[in-house]
Amino acid sequence: IYSPQGAVAAGFLDQVVTEAELAGAAMAAAVELTKLNQSAHHQTKLRVRNEVLAGVAQGVEKEFGIRLG
């Protein structure tokens, strides 16, 4: 279990803010997310999901002998 600062150092959190800073930090993060290339972001999510789903399917087939989809 990490302290908030330890979680940042370990890479589990991007930042820690006080309650008073929370709304502003959330808005700033939201603004940054709007700057993402939505097409590239979408394609990356699809690729990553497909890789994960393929791995799950392989594991199920290997472990249980059941072929998915």
Side-chain angles (χ1 to χ4, degrees):
I1 305 229
Y2 294 94
S3 68
Q5 291 75 17
V8 171
F12 292 110
L13 300 175
D14 291 327
Q15 70 182 95
V16 175
V17 297
T18 66
E19 185 177 351
E21 298 168 316
L22 183 57
M27 288 301 295
V31 167
E32 288 302 310
L33 289 173
T34 67
K35 297 177 184 177
L36 289 176
N37 178 320
Q38 292 299 311
S39 178
H41 179 67
H42 178 72
Q43 292 302 317
T44 298
K45 286 180 73 171
L46 290 177
R47 182 179 47 79
V48 170
R49 285 181 187 159
N50 286 337
E51 290 172 7
V52 170
L53 290 175
V56 169
Q58 288 174 356
V60 168
E61 185 171 0
K62 180 180 177 183
E63 188 70 26
F64 302 107
I66 300 169
R67 188 170 195 144
L68 301 176

